[in-house]
Amino acid sequence: MKVGIIGQGYVGLTISAFAAEYFDVVGFDLNPKIVEQLNLGVSHIEGIESALLAKWIRAGRYKATTRGSDLSDCEIIVIAVPTPLTGDRKPDLSYIDSACKTIGQNLSKPVLVINESTSFPGTLRDFIKPTIEKYSQAPIEHMYAISPERVDPGRSDFNQKNTPRLYSGLTSEATDRTKDFYSKFCDNLVQVSSPEVAEAAKLFENTFRQVNIALVNEFAQIAHSLGISVYETLDAANTKPYGFMKFTPSAGVGGHCIPVDPTYLAAVAEEHGAPATFIRRANEVNLEMSEYIVRRVTEDNGGSLQGKNALVVGVAYKPNVADVRETAAELVIEQLRNQGAVVTWHDDIVGSWKGESSAPLQGADLTVIVTKHDSVDEKKILASAPYVFDTTGKVKGAKGL
Ligand SMILES: NC(=O)c1ccc[n+]([C@@H]2O[C@H](COP(=O)([O-])OP(=O)(O)OC[C@H]3O[C@@H](n4cnc5c(N)ncnc54)[C@H](O)[C@@H]3O)[C@@H](O)[C@H]2O)c1
């Protein structure tokens, strides 16, 4: 059976690599550079080894393409394209629209279309299905299902095989075929009663994280104002064996999911006249953390950062990955520059970003740690400046939240 996977990023390439063990996989992506590299067996995604990709290419089980017509003989199509926010922070379904166009224009026989992109409840039924039908040259009864992706890039303990996967189709046949597909490479499939439940569950999972991160970020500020350690207090609370889950404070939230998905939930809630004030406020609290951190750093440095050389350590949104999407480091750097600091950053995993390159880990007036990769030496961070502020709580001997 041939499977087409639209979007060869974190989600799409990960699925491709797992599915290629059982199916012939066509990885469709609009980015020719990515496609060229993939066909050379070079992976651009943490957790997907180039050697594995090369193995599937050699075996004739995987090929990447920019040509929609290469999908024409697929029996299953998986959509794994970005679902970001627009400039005015509204759900942006333009990438899904484009994926639907590719399907509509290139598939002339009925297939199973599975959406893995994160979006609000109703996207499969009310957007994907009619959009594909709109772009199709003749009426075709495709099957439609949703199975939201839960991959956590860079994580080794949970992967496609052992992370439970939700799924549901618009029809029982679509549901059954979706189960058959994923059961090849996922051990734990959880059927829910409708695509809308699966879509909503995915959004709620990430909203849960955003709200709890905001809560602990607010609590970090409260603890500091009370003169107590936020970390010791959290460890103390965490001795309760039930009803508590420990989250740790940080410079904010980053990545493709946690800063974005709750806004999808809030948007659809408000469209239906339901309040989403808590979700909206959590987003603001996390965005305001950079301001709070730079205020603390400024206070500690005589009330002004004018002309000071500030070094930000770690610009990826989380440790040990090169992903800078929605990184809190961007806001911290902006706030430091607003205070007149001359800012450079050190992150050898990211290397270059926004036209700037990773600076040496030395010679600063002050250092702010936003993300601590395992490969970065703590002693070197502490020696990089006479004042070091750590937003991660990992570096002993630095000032912190
Ligand atoms: N990254 C994660 O950890 C994660 C986890 C769970 C869910 N998701 C969701 O999965 C979806 C994909 O996220 P991602 O992280 O893989 O994104 P990504 O940016 O890593 O990859 C998306 C890929 O799609 C390609 N693309 C864009 N529009 C296209 C189109 N019309 N046709 C073909 N290719 C196209 C891009 O070139 C890119 O290579 C999003 O909805 C995201 O919210 C992501």
Side-chain angles (χ1 to χ4, degrees):
M1 188 186 290
K2 202 165 174 183
V3 178
I5 301 188
I6 301 187
Q8 291 292 283
Y10 283 90
V11 168
L13 188 63
T14 306
I15 292 292
S16 299
F18 276 82
E21 194 167 350
Y22 306 95
F23 306 97
D24 286 344
V25 174
V26 180
F28 173 81
D29 201 292
L30 290 181
N31 185 329
K33 276 196 196 131
I34 289 180
V35 166
E36 192 185 329
Q37 289 294 300
L38 291 175
N39 281 330
L40 292 172
V42 179
S43 165
H44 62 118
I45 297 297
E46 287 99 6
I48 300 301
E49 297 295 328
S50 293
L52 180 65
L53 202 58
K55 179 176 135 185
W56 297 140
I57 292 170
R58 274 197 310 275
R61 301 284 273 279
Y62 175 80
K63 88 163 179 180
T65 184
T66 54
R67 282 194 307 265
S69 56
D70 288 343
L71 298 170
S72 60
D73 55 346
C74 289
E75 290 168 61
I76 296 178
I77 299 284
V78 177
I79 301 175
V81 296
T83 42
L85 298 173
T86 56
D88 54 352
R89 296 192 69 79
K90 301 241 164 63
D92 176 0
L93 296 190
S94 60
Y95 298 86
I96 294 203
D97 183 274
S98 161
C100 291
K101 191 172 185 179
T102 301
I103 296 169
Q105 291 181 339
N106 293 288
L107 277 298
S108 51
K109 284 182 292 185
V111 299
L112 171 65
V113 177
I114 305 173
N115 181 36
E116 288 213 21
S117 295
T118 307
S119 187
F120 49 82
T123 301
L124 183 74
R125 195 185 301 272
D126 302 329
F127 187 82
I128 292 178
K129 182 175 184 285
T131 307
I132 290 175
E133 286 169 355
K134 178 183 84 182
Y135 288 120
S136 298
Q137 274 121 32
I140 302 177
E141 280 294 312
H142 293 305
M143 282 175 279
Y144 294 91
I146 173 93
S147 185
E149 181 52 62
R150 286 168 158 169
V151 67
D152 185 5
R155 189 166 192 138
S156 52
D157 52 350
F158 283 102
N159 54 36
Q160 288 295 331
K161 195 155 172 58
N162 64 358
T163 307
R165 182 178 269 284
L166 304 177
Y167 70 101
S168 185
L170 285 184
T171 59
S172 56
E173 195 187 352
T175 303
D176 292 346
R177 285 201 55 202
T178 302
K179 183 180 179 191
D180 290 346
F181 172 61
Y182 287 109
S183 60
K184 297 278 191 302
F185 53 93
C186 178
D187 292 340
N188 193 346
L189 292 165
V190 183
Q191 186 185 331
V192 293
S193 66
S194 70
E196 285 76 13
V197 170
E199 290 166 324
K202 169 70 193 176
L203 291 186
F204 189 69
E205 289 161 24
N206 284 343
T207 302
F208 172 85
R209 293 198 61 198
Q210 193 196 60
V211 165
N212 278 284
I213 292 167
L215 180 63
V216 80
N217 277 339
E218 187 168 86
F219 181 64
Q221 299 174 48
I222 295 170
H224 179 72
S225 72
L226 295 173
I228 56 175
S229 160
V230 62
Y231 298 108
E232 189 187 353
T233 313
L234 291 171
D235 285 342
N238 202 31
T239 59
K240 186 177 177 185
Y242 51 87
F244 183 77
M245 185 181 284
K246 185 176 156 186
F247 284 76
T248 46
S250 60
V253 291
H256 201 36
C257 297
I258 300 172
V260 174
D261 298 355
T263 303
Y264 270 67
L265 187 55
V268 75
E270 286 157 3
E271 219 172 82
H272 286 74
T277 42
F278 201 50
I279 300 172
R280 295 278 188 204
R281 182 63 197 133
N283 190 40
E284 285 165 9
V285 169
N286 288 328
L287 288 171
E288 287 160 9
M289 272 314 274
S290 55
E291 211 178 311
Y292 171 73
I293 286 160
V294 172
R295 194 162 62 241
R296 291 270 308 274
V297 171
T298 308
E299 280 165 15
D300 289 349
N301 282 274
S304 171
L305 300 182
Q306 196 62 43
K308 294 234 161 72
N309 288 317
L311 180 68
V312 169
V313 172
V315 296
Y317 85 87
K318 69 174 185 177
N320 310 324
V321 299
D323 194 345
V324 289
R325 291 178 294 182
E326 306 273 334
T327 174
E330 186 167 355
L331 294 177
V332 171
I333 290 171
E334 190 183 306
Q335 294 289 339
L336 286 166
R337 287 186 174 143
N338 287 347
Q339 294 305 311
V342 179
V343 186
T344 53
W345 52 267
H346 174 83
D347 191 323
D348 285 342
I349 296 186
V350 170
S352 59
W353 174 54
K354 295 177 89 105
E356 297 172 14
S357 298
S358 175
L361 186 52
Q362 60 188 41
D365 296 323
L366 59 98
T367 290
V368 180
I369 308 165
V370 173
T371 299
K372 164 79 178 68
H373 298 306
D374 293 346
S375 56
V376 184
D377 184 355
E378 272 187 39
K379 287 198 192 102
K380 280 195 184 155
I381 299 179
L382 290 171
S384 66
Y387 172 90
V388 179
F389 189 94
D390 176 26
T391 68
T392 71
K394 287 184 186 164
V395 178
K396 292 208 169 56
K399 284 266 196 179
L401 288 166

